[in-house]
Amino acid sequence: MALSLGWKARRNCCGLLLQAMRSPPLFPWALCHPWRGGGSFLDPEMRAFLEENTEVTSSGSLTPEIQLRLLTPRCRFWWERADLWPHSDPYWAIYWPGGQALSRYLLDHPDVVRGKSVLDLGSGCGATAIAAKMSGASRILANDIDPIAGMAITLNCELNRLNPLPILTKNILDLEQDKWDLVVLGDMFYDESLADSLHQWLKNCFWTYRTRVLIGDPGRPQFSRHSIQRQLHKVVEYSLPEPTRQQNNGLTTSTVWDFQP
């Protein structure tokens, strides 16, 4: 599992991703299309690359209703050295446990999103945005700074027979805040500096628009020790499936938190 020893350490020390959060999109087409709506542009070569080097799966997660293109042990790059992956680190290719908890919660409680506007911050594979759409959200934006994640989200929408979701491939923390009924974010508190920026942005969002904020996290130290803990209410805790535990250093549960500053 050579690849997993590199980028899959994700959200323990993440200078690379933090640097990317502060940088422009990495691919020329994204510079022209940082916002993509229905009928989004999909580069044919990148589509072919993603389809060849990921596996469609719905097993081993908390949400078997959702099919996703992910890196699995049956994929070539799961076993290759991390430096052989030709693009930015594929964080979108893992269904992280915080996102799993959020997605499960939205599917089980569609009233949380039905008829509402939802921002999926750090969307990754797009599973939580997809869960929101399946549960009846009226307006959804999937935000991820990696343009390849945006393409993967579009492919994952196709797998689940959904129209492409609007996708923003810019660092939304640097943009003027919009009004959302609900902001969801999973597995994002993995770096102290980023956590501080997120905390302030979420507080502004809450106090300006009374936006509800739901956070998914499996208990990473960077989240558990952060001052945001004093402003959280536990909504639900899920036991993680065994495959997810194995891929996440033995983490056993993932929790959805309601942010109440």
Side-chain angles (χ1 to χ4, degrees):
M1 204 175 296
L3 185 57
S4 68
L5 298 179
W7 62 271
K8 273 182 64 184
R10 183 183 190 163
R11 307 185 165 192
N12 286 326
C13 84
C14 259
L16 177 63
L17 189 59
L18 186 60
Q19 179 180 354
M21 285 285 289
R22 294 168 175 164
S23 302
L26 302 179
F27 297 91
W29 66 266
L31 295 174
C32 301
H33 304 277
W35 177 284
R36 299 186 291 125
S40 301
F41 172 77
L42 271 179
D43 176 74
E45 291 186 8
M46 184 58 71
R47 172 192 278 270
F49 178 84
L50 296 181
E51 290 177 342
E52 180 181 351
N53 290 289
T54 57
E55 179 185 21
V56 176
T57 180
S58 61
S59 63
S61 76
L62 289 171
T63 57
E65 307 95 315
I66 298 177
Q67 293 192 84
L68 299 168
R69 283 200 166 275
L70 302 174
L71 272 176
T72 74
R74 286 173 291 279
C75 299
R76 167 193 164 197
F77 281 102
W78 182 275
W79 303 101
E80 295 279 13
R81 298 197 323 267
D83 62 334
L84 295 179
W85 178 262
H87 303 291
S88 54
D89 289 347
Y91 298 129
W92 52 266
I94 295 294
Y95 192 7
W96 302 96
Q100 290 190 32
L102 284 169
S103 302
R104 181 72 269 156
Y105 180 70
L106 298 186
L107 291 171
D108 289 345
H109 302 87
D111 55 298
V112 173
V113 296
R114 186 181 294 118
K116 297 178 181 177
S117 59
V118 180
L119 169 65
D120 183 13
L121 179 59
S123 190
C125 66
T128 304
I130 289 169
K133 184 65 175 178
M134 288 178 167
S135 298
S138 61
R139 181 167 72 101
I140 301 169
L141 178 63
N143 170 236
D144 198 289
I145 52 89
D146 185 351
I148 298 182
M151 302 186 79
I153 292 168
T154 299
L155 292 176
N156 288 333
C157 286
E158 291 179 4
L159 285 175
N160 293 280
R161 297 181 174 83
L162 299 175
N163 292 328
L165 295 172
I167 298 164
L168 178 68
T169 55
K170 284 189 174 181
N171 182 2
I172 203 167
L173 303 186
D174 292 338
L175 305 179
E176 183 177 350
Q177 285 188 326
D178 198 1
K179 185 180 188 304
W180 299 95
D181 296 318
L182 175 67
V183 172
V184 291
L185 61 159
D187 307 281
M188 289 293 287
F189 285 78
Y190 52 83
D191 173 273
E192 184 176 350
S193 177
L194 177 58
D196 290 344
S197 297
L198 283 168
H199 189 195
Q200 185 59 52
W201 191 89
L202 294 172
K203 283 193 294 185
N204 291 342
C205 201
F206 179 90
W207 290 116
T208 303
Y209 298 112
R210 308 304 296 182
T211 298
R212 187 180 186 189
V213 177
L214 294 177
I215 300 171
D217 192 89
R220 292 187 180 84
Q222 298 91 332
F223 181 66
S224 301
R225 295 195 300 257
H226 196 272
S227 60
I228 197 174
Q229 287 292 323
R230 297 191 292 269
Q231 300 169 322
L232 297 177
H233 168 73
K234 181 186 284 191
V235 178
V236 62
E237 183 175 5
Y238 296 101
S239 177
L240 292 171
E242 186 59 31
T244 301
R245 295 186 184 197
Q246 293 175 4
Q247 292 177 14
N248 288 272
N249 301 313
L251 294 171
T252 59
T253 64
S254 190
T255 302
V256 175
W257 301 90
D258 197 339
F259 178 54
Q260 300 176 352

